[in-house]
Amino acid sequence: MPKFDNMKRITILGSTGSIGTKTLSVIRDFRDQFRVVGLSTFANLSLLKEQIEEFRPPAVAIVDTTKVNDGRALARQFQIRALFGIEGLIELASEIETDLLVVATVGSVGLLPTLRAIEKGISIALANKEVLVTAGQLVMRAVEQHRSQIIPIDSEHNAIFQCLQGNDRNAIRRIILTASGGPFRTSSKEEIEKATLEETLQHPTWAMGPKITVDSATLMNKGFEVIEGHHLFGVDIHNIEVVIHPESIIHSMVEFVDGSILAQLAPPDMYLPIQNALTYPRRCPTNLPSLDLMEVSKLTFFAPDFSRFPCLQYAYNAAVKGGTMPAVLNAANEVAVNRYLRKEIGFSQVPEIISHVMAEHSVGDAASLEEIQTADAWAREKAQHYE
Ligand SMILES: NC(=O)c1ccc[n+]([C@@H]2O[C@H](COP(=O)([O-])OP(=O)(O)OC[C@H]3O[C@@H](n4cnc5c(N)ncnc54)[C@H](OP(=O)(O)O)[C@@H]3O)[C@@H](O)[C@H]2O)c1
């Protein structure tokens, strides 16, 4: 859609998910600043229909190809374009004129659309961290080559992004990623092993989609964020630390070479990092409540326990190995978490599967997309058939 005003044109991949719907709630509150030009879902056509009715995007993508007939009917009803399958998602991301692509899909499925958009020089607001875990080097190289940019939506990386404004990235000594600790922060190893799916899905501070909620319970989510931070900010893995901070008030910190630590604080609500990514480089007033420090009263910090949460260690190991190993870590995790969500395996088998698949992998240098995709497919197959 051509630009005929000063509004920022936004496309959202995964608009029917937790981040996608929150992004639309930010847009709803700033209607004079943003225009939605593309939306996508895997299969949730009823929510997509409501979103089309409200935001009138000229194009949508529906990835589940069993929904083609219903999708075409929807497109006819609203006289918009409907694109289908992963090719449709890639086309929506890279061929529709847009100023900012919000990547809020889940898993490595976001990689190709993000990469193609970057190659067109489109700016990315990234929630879908698996994109950087799978192919961080390749993606960041493309960002540089095509003069694109990635503005992080993940609250931790958005916090770091904010702390770095006006500061020299070469002066970073250390990044401190905060973690709520998830629902099993104080549980024993035995209790964690017996945890039901319902218990796993009860996150203490954040309401999120099912996959990231499981990743938060295993701390794999924090491990992914270590890898994401390494690529986004060019900081050595050994200089990225994780600190358990159950209040989820400090969203992360940067220590500079002079010993100063800058932190970003706010009540835990994804609205704020999403708004920051959408309005960047401007800051706009919100209706979010101010943080009441007297009410918070106390902020606490603990070291993560790698023996109860081995996934965090696996993520560090994968990052240190480098090459195709992070893609394998991610793919094995995606399959294991899906199997857990389908109740095929128990909670403790999630790390077991990942560790097994990583141990079997011969690491390649991840120089090409094809090599990464081959490693990803190999790991999925292994993780699917592990008993
Ligand atoms: N939720 C949070 O608070 C949060 C915070 C920080 C980072 N993140 C990251 O943001 C990403 C999205 O998380 P979320 O919690 O919003 O997930 P979610 O609620 O599960 O939503 C995922 C979105 O992606 C779509 N989708 C699912 N599988 C797909 C596929 N194979 N192909 C194309 N589209 C697909 C879904 O469509 P359907 O609706 O049809 O399933 C939905 O629109 C994740 O990478 C997560 O780690 C999330």
Side-chain angles (χ1 to χ4, degrees), residues 14-19 40-44 63 89 104-107 109 127-130 154 207-210 212 270:
S15 63
T16 51
S18 161
I19 294 289
S40 92
T41 184
F42 178 69
N44 191 344
V63 178
L89 193 68
T105 35
V106 59
V109 71
N128 189 179
K129 63 193 86 186
E130 295 92 339
D154 224 348
M208 309 177 285
I212 185 177
M270 286 307 294

Side-chain angles (χ1 to χ4, degrees), residues 14-15 46 56 80 103 107 132 144 173 224 228 230 320-321 379:
S15 63
S46 59
R56 299 287 166 165
I80 59 172
V103 184
L132 285 178
E144 214 179 296
R173 179 184 283 164
F224 283 168
E228 184 185 8
H230 162 67
V320 169
K321 270 264 183 253

Side-chain angles (χ1 to χ4, degrees), residues 34-338:
F34 304 115
R35 188 144 40 87
V36 176
V37 292
L39 295 173
S40 92
T41 184
F42 178 69
N44 191 344
L45 290 198
S46 59
L47 182 53
L48 183 68
K49 183 179 176 199
E50 285 174 29
Q51 296 180 343
I52 296 170
E53 265 171 341
E54 182 176 359
F55 294 97
R56 299 287 166 165
V60 295
I62 296 152
V63 178
D64 181 353
T65 48
T66 66
K67 306 276 178 194
V68 170
N69 289 341
D70 293 343
R72 290 215 170 106
L74 201 59
R76 267 196 305 278
Q77 184 185 348
F78 291 98
Q79 300 197 321
I80 59 172
R81 274 180 81 195
L83 304 158
F84 297 98
I86 182 67
E87 291 307 322
L89 193 68
I90 294 170
E91 190 175 342
L92 186 84
S94 56
E95 301 294 336
I96 304 287
E97 281 190 72
T98 189
D99 299 305
L100 187 69
L101 177 71
V102 177
V103 184
T105 35
V106 59
S108 63
V109 71
L111 173 59
L112 276 177
T114 306
L115 205 50
R116 295 295 168 251
I118 291 170
E119 287 162 1
K120 290 275 167 71
I122 295 169
S123 293
I124 310 292
L126 186 70
N128 189 179
K129 63 193 86 186
E130 295 92 339
V131 166
L132 285 178
V133 174
T134 301
Q137 262 177 327
L138 207 78
V139 169
M140 295 315 288
R141 214 183 303 138
V143 166
E144 214 179 296
Q145 209 178 337
H146 300 279
R147 293 164 193 269
S148 167
Q149 62 175 342
I150 296 183
I151 307 162
I153 281 183
D154 224 348
S155 59
E156 294 76 1
H157 302 78
N158 185 267
I160 295 160
F161 184 73
Q162 293 192 45
C163 293
L164 288 176
Q165 300 307 311
N167 281 299
D168 180 2
R169 288 187 179 205
N170 295 316
I172 300 174
R173 179 184 283 164
R174 164 170 84 116
I175 281 178
I176 305 162
L177 289 177
T178 52
S180 70
F184 305 134
R185 180 175 62 86
T186 55
S187 308
S188 68
K189 213 168 180 165
E190 295 68 34
E191 285 166 337
I192 294 174
E193 273 169 18
K194 283 191 246 134
T196 64
L197 179 58
E198 291 66 32
E199 285 164 341
T200 306
L201 292 177
Q202 291 299 316
H203 194 278
T205 44
W206 298 99
M208 309 177 285
K211 195 247 176 194
I212 185 177
T213 305
V214 177
D215 288 346
S216 298
T218 60
L219 289 200
M220 181 59 93
N221 181 51
K222 212 44 60 178
F224 283 168
E225 289 175 6
V226 170
I227 301 174
E228 184 185 8
H230 162 67
H231 291 297
L232 275 177
F233 306 115
V235 174
D236 192 284
I237 281 293
H238 300 102
N239 297 333
I240 306 183
E241 253 173 54
V242 171
V243 167
I244 305 296
H245 167 48
E247 296 83 9
S248 298
I249 295 293
I250 296 183
H251 297 300
S252 278
M253 297 173 251
V254 181
E255 183 183 321
F256 292 94
V257 286
D258 60 3
S260 280
I261 295 181
L262 297 194
Q264 186 258 343
L265 285 74
D269 188 331
M270 286 307 294
Y271 188 102
L272 183 55
I274 293 172
Q275 178 187 321
N276 183 271
L278 260 53
T279 63
Y280 175 81
R282 295 175 57 210
R283 282 190 186 272
C284 297
T286 57
N287 295 325
L288 292 177
S290 279
L291 179 63
D292 184 339
L293 286 171
M294 306 311 151
E295 194 181 313
V296 174
S297 152
K298 183 162 88 173
L299 298 176
T300 56
F301 306 95
F302 306 92
D305 181 344
F306 289 89
S307 81
R308 279 184 306 136
F309 300 101
C311 286
L312 181 58
Q313 187 64 59
Y314 300 157
Y316 271 104
N317 295 351
V320 169
K321 270 264 183 253
T324 48
M325 194 56 106
V328 163
L329 170 89
N330 176 70
N333 181 64
E334 271 188 44
V335 172
V337 170
N338 264 327

